[in-house]
Amino acid sequence: MNEFHSGFVAVLGKPNVGKSTLVNAYLGQKIAAVSPRPQTTRRRQLGILTLPQAQIVFVDTPGVHLPRHKLGQFFNQEAAEALEGVDADLFLVDASMEPDDEDRRVADMLLGQRQRPALFLGLNKIDLVPTPEREARRTVYQALLPGVKPFLLSASGGEGRAELLAALIGCLPVRPPEFPPEQITDQYEREIAAELIREAALVFLREEVPHALAVRLDEFTERGEEGAYIAATLFVERESRKGIVIGEGGGMLKRIGSLARREIEAMSGRKVYLNLRVKVEKGWRDNEAALRRFGYKIKSSGVKTEKHKK
Ligand code: GDP
Ligand code: MG
């Protein structure tokens, strides 16, 4: 009873199934970016949950999806790296729809791992599935990971969340906590700020500039009583997109800035002055040097190609 459990849990699943929502719900605080659209979570993130009896370090993986260009391959590389050395894998699916090829790819990747940690299957968004259909949904998803017990849950609503958390804790090794209890993330505050800015932009622009948008933090300075001064640049791929992001009379950029500022203030608990600008960087998604400058950690060995095509 008095033994302390501690370890790493990778949260896996295609974009938009609710990974960030679940991790945020457990942490009780907004750390991972949540978006109504896929692919907002682009970096490997750690959310650290410390309870009286356990510490779970969540690895909130980027969406695992088919590589179309280097950025897509980067996501997959990050996802694979996030899996190394974890104590448990939590495969999250969207139970409100039938399994698709993307779910199957993630499941195959999990089953094909050399070292197999404890495996959990979470059927999320169960609140959207009428009760008579839940059993059938459970069966089709269970077929993806034979022998793994499915948990039905609603990350946003709360149903089933506690049961899953208890099961996760139960599988973690008995050992002392890795991180100090007050630490909730190992991500730098500035990285989270950049992600919140990008998320704010996507709220207004998700139709116009779906994923071809990167954010670089240029300055993050403490100004004592006045709070923090943050300057950031939004990069788009084409001149025509730049106008959209800025908007008439700068209106769109103002809306993005004001939403992002509120989110960063909520996250950091202090006043924030936010200064945004927009620049065109042609083809940044296919340009490794540009990706590096935007903060993506790409190994010097380069981005692995066609790794997931069989
Ligand atoms: P991620 O890409 O897997 O990290 O997904 P997000 O956490 O960003 O969630 C994607 C969308 O699904 C957001 O609009 C969430 O509010 C929504 N969502 C997440 N969990 C649930 C759930 O349990 N029920 C419902 N109805 N919506 C959810
Ligand atoms: Mg996410």
Side-chain angles (χ1 to χ4, degrees):
M1 269 312 279
N2 293 328
E3 287 175 325
F4 197 91
H5 294 256
S6 150
F8 289 76
V9 175
V11 186
L12 274 293
K14 68 184 180 191
N16 222 28
V17 296
K19 299 179 296 295
S20 301
T21 305
L22 183 67
V23 172
N24 290 340
Y26 284 144
L27 297 174
Q29 185 169 354
K30 188 165 187 160
I31 295 295
V34 183
S35 152
R37 282 280 161 148
Q39 293 171 4
T40 306
T41 305
R42 302 145 78 234
R43 289 162 197 274
R44 178 180 167 165
Q45 296 197 14
L46 297 182
I48 306 167
L49 174 67
T50 307
L51 300 168
Q53 78 284 19
Q55 181 174 77
I56 303 185
V57 182
F58 289 104
V59 186
D60 182 23
T61 59
V64 182
H65 60 94
L66 302 167
R68 270 179 298 132
H69 41 59
K70 285 201 169 68
L71 184 60
Q73 289 157 13
F74 166 78
F75 282 131
N76 286 326
Q77 178 187 323
E78 279 284 284
E81 279 177 12
L83 282 180
E84 283 167 19
V86 299
D87 300 289
D89 288 329
L90 169 60
F91 176 31
L92 217 58
V93 298
D94 182 347
S96 71
M97 50 179 85
E98 297 282 336
D100 63 11
D101 285 346
E102 276 195 276
D103 293 311
R104 274 177 217 109
R105 281 182 65 252
V106 180
D108 289 347
M109 186 172 88
L110 287 172
L111 293 174
Q113 280 187 92
R114 264 174 302 141
Q115 292 174 319
R116 288 260 292 274
L119 204 48
F120 293 85
L121 173 61
L123 271 63
N124 190 33
K125 308 197 189 184
I126 204 68
D127 52 290
L128 299 177
V129 186
T131 314
E133 288 165 33
R134 290 185 180 184
E135 198 45 49
R137 239 0 109 72
R138 183 209 303 264
T139 308
V140 286
Y141 275 106
Q142 198 166 15
L144 297 182
L145 292 182
V148 175
K149 180 187 167 197
F151 287 81
L152 277 56
L153 76 149
S154 172
S156 57
E159 184 185 347
R161 238 168 28 200
E163 289 83 352
L164 176 59
L165 184 63
L168 291 172
I169 291 172
C171 86
L172 296 180
V174 173
R175 63 180 169 214
E178 192 103 8
F179 297 95
E182 63 279 4
Q183 197 169 333
I184 39 174
T185 176
D186 79 339
Q187 253 199 334
Y188 292 115
E189 194 179 9
R190 51 185 296 141
E191 287 186 42
I192 301 170
E195 196 154 305
L196 290 172
I197 293 167
R198 184 167 185 277
E199 183 187 354
L202 289 183
V203 165
F204 297 113
L205 297 169
R206 56 180 181 248
E207 306 300 340
E208 292 85 351
V209 274
H211 310 304
L213 186 75
V215 174
R216 183 187 67 204
L217 232 66
D218 303 314
E219 192 183 335
F220 195 132
T221 329
E222 297 298 340
R223 286 188 175 171
E225 289 285 282
E226 285 173 59
Y229 172 82
I230 299 172
T233 306
L234 280 68
F235 288 94
V236 291
E237 284 199 305
R238 268 178 277 153
E239 201 63 49
S240 61
R241 301 281 195 253
K242 187 175 167 181
I244 296 172
V245 177
I246 293 173
E248 254 190 75
M252 176 56 76
L253 196 59
K254 274 204 193 97
R255 281 159 73 198
I256 294 169
S258 131
L259 175 61
R261 180 181 48 76
R262 286 200 305 272
E263 295 286 349
I264 299 169
E265 285 178 343
M267 180 266 298
S268 67
R270 58 163 142 39
K271 262 177 74 104
V272 165
Y273 182 82
L274 185 60
N275 186 1
L276 297 182
R277 56 183 190 142
V278 186
K279 273 181 93 168
V280 180
E281 176 95 25
K282 288 201 177 67
W284 66 263
R285 282 189 296 181
D286 284 316
N287 179 334
E288 284 187 21
L291 286 171
R292 265 200 205 90
R293 260 186 288 127
F294 296 139
Y296 297 97
K297 287 172 280 172
I298 295 181
K299 294 231 172 98
S300 51
S301 59
V303 179
K304 290 167 205 134
T305 49
E306 308 297 63
K307 195 169 89 184
H308 291 272
K309 289 206 179 138
K310 292 200 179 124

